[in-house]
Amino acid sequence: MIEEDVISLYKDMRRLPQVEVSEELRGWSYSEGLVTTPGGPLLGVSDITGGFCDKGRDVYLRYVKKVKQRDNYLLQRGRLVHEVWMRTIVEVKRSIYNLGFEATGDTLAGEASRLKDKLKAEFREKYPLIPEDEATWLIGRIVNEGYSTYSSALERQQSRSRFLEIDGLISATIPLITEFPINGERIGLSMALRADALIPPSLILELKTRPPRREFELTLAGYAMAFESQYETPVDRGLLIYVEVDTQGKRLYVRPKLLPLGDNLRSEFIERRDKLLEMILYEEDPGMSSKCPQECPYLYYCRGGE
């Protein structure tokens, strides 16, 4: 995501029909609107929209029964893609800060090699269920793509102006903030929410490596209301980035989806939040789902494991 992409996104949003959002479903209406929390534990957005169990039994097992999650290949692969993507962005920024105006496409290329070596050295301990050749390919592909994209963007910014301060140069080169913190306690969510990224001023980005589903759209609605409750700034659209990993053909397919965050998504998120909070407060086991996804970290327990 570079400056030209961001400008294009905001132009697209301006040309699209206005998103109608009821005042009572804005995050800043937490003291009197439908987003008012009924009380109970502060849930993470992923608790509500993880997409693992249509009955919410994963949340019941986590908060009431205190059952430990069990990792699996699909979850580890998703975390690996997220981590490499995030750390590539962070390390490009760090490189430019360290090198200052001496940073060039060539110097960043050397930094990319060092980051790949570091990530490859770490991956076995963090992601033991991913085959080494697959992890090596994913790390190399994401890091190379990121550094190549931002090296070109850096050189374009340097050619346009010699009067930027280093912080401005970095913001123009990489116009997004990864792991953006949001305090969601006003609407019954965690105080330490982390959206995958924020594209200033108010476009929230989420990266997903599992197939598209309704829950992921609800994720953006939840972050939008939490952002509104903290900053009292409207968030009418969000950006979902679906990343499909083809391990056989060694390809990554990236599909962006600009999503209106209107009343339907917001209402559904709130309904799910309230249902899960009630389930936790009354310790009611909702029972097993009839369609458990293989990546669910509680599948082993529901299927009779210890």
Side-chain angles (χ1 to χ4, degrees), residues 55-234:
K55 290 193 172 184
R57 195 172 196 237
D58 56 329
V59 178
Y60 168 80
L61 294 176
R62 183 179 306 123
Y63 284 89
V64 179
K65 300 290 288 183
K66 310 297 183 183
V67 176
K68 291 184 177 180
Q69 300 184 56
R70 181 172 292 180
D71 222 346
N72 58 61
Y73 162 75
L74 289 174
L75 292 180
Q76 287 196 6
R77 191 180 71 181
R79 291 204 305 274
L80 175 63
V81 170
H82 272 85
E83 180 179 354
V84 178
W85 173 76
M86 182 270 294
R87 286 182 64 178
T88 297
I89 292 171
V90 170
E91 291 303 323
V92 171
K93 290 182 178 181
R94 194 192 314 277
S95 296
I96 301 174
Y97 271 121
N98 290 338
L99 295 167
F101 292 98
E102 299 301 315
T104 66
D106 290 338
T107 56
L108 287 184
E111 297 298 315
S113 296
R114 281 188 279 276
L115 178 58
K116 284 187 288 186
D117 291 341
K118 185 176 182 179
L119 290 171
K120 290 172 186 177
E122 295 175 1
F123 103 91
R124 177 50 62 197
E125 182 177 351
K126 289 185 175 180
Y127 308 107
L129 300 179
I130 304 176
E132 185 171 356
D133 61 339
E134 182 180 335
T136 299
W137 163 69
L138 276 170
I139 291 168
R141 174 65 187 276
I142 296 170
V143 172
N144 286 341
E145 186 72 22
Y147 269 84
S148 174
T149 298
Y150 291 122
S151 294
S152 299
L154 172 65
E155 291 178 347
R156 284 196 298 275
Q157 293 298 334
Q158 289 173 326
S159 69
R160 291 171 184 170
S161 175
R162 297 181 180 274
F163 303 103
L164 283 173
E165 293 293 337
I166 194 68
D167 203 43
L169 176 63
I170 291 170
S171 296
T173 302
I174 311 171
L176 74 167
I177 306 165
T178 61
E179 294 292 298
F180 186 79
I182 305 173
N183 183 349
E185 65 177 326
R186 295 175 183 84
I187 61 169
L189 302 178
S190 168
M191 293 183 287
L193 298 177
R194 294 289 184 273
D196 284 343
L198 177 75
I199 303 173
S202 59
L203 182 63
I204 296 171
L205 180 156
E206 277 291 294
L207 187 74
K208 300 298 180 183
T209 59
R210 289 188 282 155
R213 59 186 68 188
R214 175 74 170 180
E215 286 85 355
F216 299 154
E217 299 184 3
L218 294 175
T219 296
L220 282 174
Y223 282 129
M225 288 186 285
F227 186 96
E228 290 172 346
S229 74
Q230 183 174 1
Y231 295 103
E232 299 199 5
T233 298

Side-chain angles (χ1 to χ4, degrees), residues 6 38 52 66 70 78 158 165 241 254 269 299:
V6 172
F52 292 122
K66 310 297 183 183
R70 181 172 292 180
Q158 289 173 326
E165 293 293 337
I241 304 288
V254 180
F269 180 88
L299 186 63

